[in-house]
Amino acid sequence: MSTNKPPNIFAAPPPSGVDLYFRRALSAAQAGRYAEAESLCRLVLQQQPQHFEALHLCGLVQHLSGRQAEALRALDRALLVQPRSAKALNNRGVVLHGLGRSAEALQAHDAALVQQPAYVDAMLNRGVALKALGRLDEAIAAYEQALALDPRMADGWSNLGVILQDQRRFEAALEAYARAIVLAPEYADAHWNEARCRLLLGDYALGWDKYEWRWRRASFARQHRDFTQPRWQGEDLAGRTILLHAEQGLGDSLQCLRYLPLLAARGGRVLLEVQAPLVSLLKDFPGVEAVFARGAALAAFDLHCPLLSLPHVFATRLDTIPPNVRPAAPDAQRVAAWGARLGPKRGTLRVGLVWSGNPAQQDNHLRSLALRDLLRITAPEIECISLQKELRSDEERALVADGTIRHFGEDLADFAETAALMTQVDLVISVCTSVAHLAGVMERPVWVLLQYAHDWRWLLEREDSPWYPTARLFRQNRQGDWAGLIDEQLMPALRQHIEGVSHA
């Protein structure tokens, strides 16, 4: 989904008499020269500390530079000068949303609409805040209200589609994306959102094709690699060297490893560039001549391809997903060390747990659950081992301290170490994180706990995954209802599993 509608820094300048510094600041901001714009705004404020437009513009360029806390302070100063400014109230909400304070963002957008009831941008941003708060019906109403006033907003239709998709109203979501694309045929976010919807529905033919639009999204600028060598499109590789490179998360990289031996089988010399935590795990991966950490010096190559473009190049369909290819077995010394450290099993079943993903990911609060909730599975027959690297709260640290769960996060230096520890558990239970992918690619038994509006790769309804043969999927029946998933699905499955192990 797109983020909040971008602040309007292209509004007409203030009334006549605005000094030359501010006009230059506005021009610099319009050209994307944010540091210059901020410096010029500060020159204005040195002479006129209550200059509303300079305070407002300073907040906007700080927001666009990713400095949300500073942006909020600047906008608050602007609102002290003009407390009823609808644009400043609305943009304050945008910044609050960027800080993860969605309830306060909603209040700011509502305040903007009190001042300017037909303010379309504030209506759209109100919808973004409501979605973040899980109030999807109200979010849809906010978008529909905005689109009734201005039905030619492609971003409004695209964002509405995302919310409809989250409600599993897939036909309506695809219609909304289509309307966005008709209005703006080159609007990459709409194509990207459609791609994820179609992949979720199992429409890989169009889904992978649309997925290539990601490279035209502004948010993918940091993932783009400006190589002089051409990108591989499926041509013959005999006698040529190809660099395959990671672009998104660790789990995405692991999911696409299965394609690497296929390139080697076509006669290519395969180099692999991945995130640093994966290098040790993949150094002996089948069909790969060398593995590099992203940012390290690379060997010479003739062609390149992003890892998540491989399904598109190979025209992958549900029935042609290549079989999983396991990395080399974990180092025997590491495995032995973990075995000695854990000691004899304390019960019938030793379970590795992961309850939270990367907090930087937009929907992490939806895909993660509290450790205390997951530990409701504890029983005398179950020994709980943390496979998570970091503890993120005092409550989690307390549960580790009292021995409820054994945690080794600071010793999990990379994924090779995590894979070695994983050999010592009978079952991995994880939310949708890279560790779930690691268990899948290592072909360890893994139960994946999925939020209601989950990622495209897990498809719909089914309990298995065509990507990972040892995975079993547990799905929320209602958004946010982890308790129902644990009580109604996970715990009965665990009891049945324990009984099967006991009678084996």
Side-chain angles (χ1 to χ4, degrees):
M1 179 174 180
S2 300
T3 55
N4 302 56
K5 192 173 179 65
N8 182 9
I9 62 175
F10 307 106
S16 59
V18 170
D19 60 56
L20 182 60
Y21 284 142
F22 181 77
R23 293 185 185 278
R24 288 177 175 172
L26 186 62
S27 296
Q30 291 170 336
R33 303 193 306 271
Y34 301 139
E36 179 185 344
E38 184 177 351
S39 296
L40 289 163
C41 283
R42 294 192 184 283
L43 289 175
V44 174
L45 293 170
Q46 286 175 8
Q47 300 177 41
Q48 299 181 34
Q50 303 301 307
H51 193 296
F52 169 78
E53 294 291 350
L55 289 166
H56 183 251
L57 183 59
C58 193
L60 296 189
V61 296
Q62 287 169 344
H63 161 68
L64 293 168
S65 301
R67 293 152 51 206
Q68 308 301 342
E70 293 175 69
L72 183 61
R73 289 193 291 271
L75 290 171
D76 284 345
R77 286 179 61 194
L79 283 163
L80 288 174
V81 179
Q82 291 190 21
R84 295 184 179 181
S85 168
K87 68 177 180 180
L89 288 164
N90 177 56
N91 290 330
R92 184 175 189 270
V94 172
V95 171
L96 286 165
H97 181 79
L99 289 167
R101 295 158 61 178
S102 297
E104 295 173 76
L106 178 61
Q107 293 175 352
H109 298 313
D110 285 342
L113 289 165
V114 168
Q115 301 301 322
Q116 189 176 327
Y119 190 1
V120 172
D121 285 2
M123 291 177 191
L124 292 176
N125 290 333
R126 185 174 189 272
V128 173
L130 286 164
K131 180 185 184 296
L133 294 168
R135 295 159 59 178
L136 299 189
D137 288 336
E138 294 174 79
I140 289 173
Y143 276 105
E144 289 176 339
Q145 182 184 10
L147 289 165
L149 289 172
D150 185 358
R152 297 194 59 78
M153 293 185 298
D155 56 344
W157 286 111
S158 182
N159 285 359
L160 174 61
V162 172
I163 303 175
L164 292 167
Q165 181 175 325
D166 285 351
Q167 290 193 325
R168 300 193 179 181
R169 297 164 60 184
F170 301 115
E171 185 175 343
L174 289 171
E175 181 180 341
Y177 300 143
R179 293 192 68 165
I181 292 167
V182 167
L183 290 168
E186 300 301 310
Y187 183 33
D189 280 3
H191 290 282
W192 159 259
N193 288 334
E194 181 188 352
R196 294 186 299 156
C197 185
R198 292 194 179 279
L199 291 172
L200 178 65
L201 294 169
D203 180 4
Y204 279 12
L206 188 52
W208 290 123
D209 185 56
K210 289 275 186 174
Y211 201 75
E212 291 302 300
W213 278 86
R214 68 194 184 278
W215 298 112
R216 299 174 66 174
R217 299 181 69 221
S219 59
F220 261 71
R222 285 182 295 181
Q223 281 83 8
H224 179 72
R225 308 301 296 279
D226 191 21
F227 294 123
T228 56
Q229 296 90 334
R231 181 166 151 180
W232 183 63
Q233 303 290 349
E235 60 268 30
D236 181 55
L237 287 173
R240 307 174 83 184
T241 299
I242 182 169
L243 171 70
L244 303 174
H245 47 94
E247 55 174 274
Q248 296 183 46
L250 294 158
D252 300 286
S253 298
L254 290 168
Q255 182 181 3
C256 291
L257 293 175
R258 66 194 67 227
Y259 290 94
L260 274 56
L262 301 181
L263 283 92
R266 292 191 177 195
R269 177 175 178 260
V270 178
L271 308 179
L272 177 63
E273 183 197 56
V274 290
Q275 300 91 336
L278 293 177
V279 171
S280 181
L281 176 75
L282 303 179
K283 61 183 176 61
D284 297 316
F285 194 81
V288 176
E289 293 207 10
V291 180
F292 304 89
R294 182 159 185 173
L298 298 169
F301 59 95
D302 304 303
L303 301 161
H304 77 96
C305 187
L307 281 173
L308 275 165
S309 288
L310 291 173
H312 177 248
V313 176
F314 280 94
T316 303
R317 304 295 180 261
L318 280 177
D319 59 350
T320 65
I321 295 173
N324 180 63
V325 178
R326 283 184 291 178
D331 177 76
Q333 288 187 329
R334 293 193 191 198
V335 171
W338 280 112
R341 186 168 180 180
L342 292 177
K345 192 186 302 181
R346 305 175 186 176
T348 305
L349 195 68
R350 179 179 279 168
V351 179
L353 299 179
V354 182
W355 57 92
S356 180
N358 182 355
Q361 186 163 318
Q362 189 174 13
D363 70 342
N364 188 58
H365 66 292
L366 296 175
R367 67 169 175 159
S368 301
L369 71 160
L371 174 58
R372 184 174 295 279
D373 290 339
L374 186 55
L375 286 178
R376 288 159 58 193
I377 68 169
T378 54
E381 302 92 341
I382 298 175
E383 178 186 3
C384 293
I385 305 294
S386 168
L387 295 177
Q388 186 144 324
K389 185 169 177 57
E390 297 176 353
L391 299 175
R392 296 188 170 92
S393 71
D394 291 340
E395 180 183 271
E396 291 175 0
R397 285 183 279 275
L399 290 168
V400 169
D402 71 12
T404 307
I405 182 171
R406 301 174 72 182
H407 179 71
F408 307 97
E410 61 186 27
D411 297 320
L412 299 177
D414 56 27
F415 270 54
E417 203 69 59
T418 303
L421 174 57
M422 196 177 283
T423 65
Q424 302 301 306
V425 304
D426 304 304
L427 172 67
V428 175
I429 298 177
S430 174
V431 295
C432 179
T433 69
S434 55
V435 177
H437 287 272
L438 176 64
V441 80
M442 298 297 297
E443 297 187 2
R444 301 292 299 167
V446 55
W447 292 1
V448 186
L449 313 182
L450 299 175
Q451 67 196 65
Y452 184 76
H454 55 72
D455 189 65
W456 58 264
R457 75 199 72 228
W458 306 115
L459 300 163
L460 293 172
E461 307 302 332
R462 57 195 296 168
E463 292 185 359
D464 67 327
S465 167
W467 294 93
Y468 299 121
T470 60
R472 178 176 176 181
L473 309 181
F474 295 79
R475 304 171 182 270
Q476 285 184 351
N477 292 318
R478 296 169 297 278
Q479 184 63 54
D481 185 17
W482 288 119
L485 185 153
I486 292 169
D487 293 341
E488 298 163 19
Q489 301 179 53
L490 184 60
M491 293 179 73
L494 269 173
R495 285 193 290 269
Q496 184 179 28
H497 188 72
I498 291 170
E499 288 177 6
V501 172
S502 299
H503 295 144

